[in-house]
Amino acid sequence: MKQCFFCSQNQDEIDYKEVDLDVDPETPALKSKTKLDVYKKEDREKLKKFLQDNLPAVTLSDLEDFSQLKGNLRDSWGFYKKMVIAVQTMAPKGTGYHEAFHAVFRSMLTLDEKYDLIEEASNRFKAPTQEDLDALQTEDKKFTESQLTWLYYEEKLADEFADFQNKLDDKGYLKSLGEKIRNFFNKI
């Protein structure tokens, strides 16, 4: 029996329909302009091949300039929504892989599988600060603290997968989780 890190109930006692921990798949997952800034530019052709080989149901959008988009999308390097990944022209290497993680996480995993990954992330990564949570809040949709915490850990996992794919850090737990995620992609 697993303990829910968002509440005092045991996971087996949680009715997921009543406890809205999962984020609506219609909410775009985006890569904000943060630590990836220093990396090399994303290789769109390599990303297309990765998607074709591993996630053929996911499309790489031709949209490369986000300046006309609404809200915080225009300030992001990339985003995922409804089986489509969009990556800015000058996006740093890893942005597409980050978004590919969101594609799998949001569209291909069961709620129990998502929960297990988020719980694992909550045990490995530091807890989010209020500043971390505020950075994830959007202007047009207000998330609860639990939803923001869920998003925070989802973003951490997406960053970790991008790091693994880019072979920026192939030791320790990054390698272990990265291999698990890569094996998951290979099974699809």
Side-chain angles (χ1 to χ4, degrees):
M1 191 176 298
K2 297 178 183 172
Q3 184 69 26
C4 172
F5 71 96
F6 286 121
C7 54
S8 60
Q9 294 176 296
N10 289 322
Q11 180 184 0
D12 296 339
E13 299 169 4
I14 297 171
D15 181 349
Y16 288 117
K17 293 181 178 133
E18 291 180 24
V19 181
D20 186 19
L21 298 180
D22 193 17
V23 176
D24 181 352
E26 296 297 310
T27 302
L30 53 93
K31 180 63 199 155
S32 59
K33 295 180 178 178
T34 57
K35 75 169 194 163
L36 290 177
D37 294 14
V38 298
Y39 300 161
K40 297 177 183 176
K41 184 179 161 190
E42 185 72 83
D43 182 340
R44 291 182 67 81
E45 291 307 311
K46 186 175 179 184
L47 178 58
K48 274 185 193 177
K49 179 161 179 23
F50 173 83
L51 293 174
Q52 288 168 351
D53 292 348
N54 298 286
L55 299 169
V58 178
T59 305
L60 180 60
S61 170
D62 291 332
L63 178 65
E64 297 179 22
D65 177 12
F66 298 0
S67 63
Q68 301 303 312
L69 297 178
K70 294 181 182 178
N72 54 354
L73 286 179
R74 77 174 149 259
D75 296 325
S76 65
W77 285 121
F79 66 88
Y80 163 77
K81 186 174 183 179
K82 295 183 179 181
M83 303 305 283
V84 175
I85 291 173
V87 177
Q88 291 243 32
T89 303
M90 296 305 293
K93 183 177 178 185
T95 302
Y97 295 123
H98 175 102
E99 300 309 330
F101 177 87
H102 288 301
V104 171
F105 189 86
R106 299 246 175 125
S107 302
M108 299 174 193
L109 298 182
T110 67
L111 188 54
D112 283 337
E113 290 169 328
K114 292 176 190 179
Y115 180 87
D116 287 345
L117 279 173
I118 295 296
E119 184 175 37
E120 181 180 336
S122 73
N123 291 325
R124 282 204 343 261
F125 297 112
K126 68 177 182 72
T129 64
Q130 189 59 50
E131 185 179 348
D132 293 329
L133 299 179
D134 290 345
L136 293 168
Q137 193 64 269
T138 62
E139 298 168 11
D140 55 335
K141 181 174 181 178
K142 297 299 177 197
F143 294 108
T144 66
E145 186 171 337
S146 293
Q147 290 170 323
L148 289 170
T149 302
W150 180 281
L151 284 169
Y152 170 81
Y153 288 119
E154 181 184 343
E155 289 298 323
K156 289 292 192 185
L157 291 168
D159 285 344
E160 191 171 73
F161 181 68
D163 287 349
F164 177 80
Q165 282 298 122
N166 289 325
K167 300 185 184 343
L168 294 176
D169 187 352
D170 63 353
K171 58 185 182 232
Y173 65 84
L174 278 179
K175 184 174 183 181
S176 173
L177 180 65
E179 285 175 348
K180 288 178 189 175
I181 295 169
R182 178 177 268 167
N183 289 337
F184 176 79
F185 279 131
N186 290 335
K187 290 178 184 176
I188 296 176

